[in-house]
Amino acid sequence: WYGCTIFCREFGWYCMDRHDKRFEFRDQPSINQVTDFTHTDGHASLLLLRPIADSQWLVAVELSKETILAAANQFLYWMIVAGSLLLVIATILSWLISRNITRPLKSLTVAASQIAEGNYSEIKITHRQDELGKLARAFEVMAERVHQSKKQLQKKAEHYKLLFESN
């Protein structure tokens, strides 16, 4: 609250602050409308002028813009803080969730590379109950079948080699 001021049209447009300092208006303020003005000391205010019935006097209610905007600025500050905090939490949660998905996929990639190199014994795939777990189990079954097929082919190749050499 910067001050309550009374204006008189007879002597020109002026205002008196609570310290009895007189300030002149540059432009005539609007009656029955909120007017934006700045005091000569630099304080920005909002002003509402209302005429007093059957007189040439006006009553004005003046509020400092700083006072009016303080609550909005404080709300905005807390919204920025809360939004930033939520952004940080969402980023951390997203990273954890993506890590939870990519870790089994990396494990499957390593296992596929080991199978491609012919190493069937060191396949380590995590067991989960979701779709990635189903994929890992199917991959393990496939790897075992490939390993068994390879063993059978090697046995058959060895058998045919012995047959061929004995003839």
Side-chain angles (χ1 to χ4, degrees):
W1 173 266
Y2 192 71
C4 183
T5 329
I6 297 177
F7 297 81
C8 181
R9 287 187 265 196
E10 272 185 52
F11 305 109
W13 293 98
Y14 71 93
C15 67
M16 299 291 286
D17 72 3
R18 61 181 154 207
H19 303 293
D20 293 327
K21 287 173 92 178
R22 182 177 168 144
F23 297 102
E24 297 289 331
F25 275 105
R26 287 179 224 142
D27 299 320
Q28 178 177 332
S30 302
I31 297 175
N32 292 327
Q33 291 182 1
V34 176
T35 304
D36 189 8
F37 79 99
T38 304
H39 287 270
T40 54
D41 63 355
H43 285 90
S45 296
L46 294 176
L47 173 72
L48 176 64
L49 292 173
R50 300 292 293 227
I52 297 174
D54 300 324
S55 76
Q56 293 189 357
W57 288 89
L58 299 169
V59 174
V61 177
E62 172 190 357
L63 291 173
S64 168
K65 273 188 170 181
E66 184 179 313
T67 303
I68 294 171
L69 297 177
N73 288 337
Q74 185 177 14
F75 175 76
L76 181 61
Y77 170 78
W78 284 112
M79 290 303 294
I80 290 171
V81 168
S84 299
L85 185 63
L86 287 175
L87 181 64
V88 168
I89 290 170
T91 301
I92 291 169
L93 285 175
S94 298
W95 177 74
L96 290 174
I97 290 169
S98 69
R99 215 178 94 197
N100 193 30
I101 293 170
T102 58
R103 189 179 297 148
L105 291 175
K106 286 180 183 179
S107 177
L108 284 172
T109 303
V110 169
S113 298
Q114 289 175 350
I115 291 172
E117 293 172 4
N119 184 1
Y120 298 95
S121 62
E122 295 183 27
I123 298 175
K124 296 177 185 173
I125 301 175
T126 58
H127 296 282
R128 299 164 46 135
Q129 299 303 315
D130 60 359
E131 289 79 10
L132 289 173
K134 290 177 185 178
L135 178 62
R137 285 188 293 282
F139 192 83
E140 286 175 344
V141 169
M142 179 195 69
E144 183 60 33
R145 287 186 182 164
V146 168
H147 184 60
Q148 293 299 326
S149 295
K150 183 179 177 185
K151 281 184 180 179
Q152 288 176 355
L153 281 174
Q154 285 175 341
K155 283 183 184 179
K156 286 182 181 180
E158 191 65 34
H159 177 70
Y160 286 123
K161 182 180 176 185
L162 288 174
L163 283 176
F164 182 71
E165 287 177 356
S166 66
N167 286 336

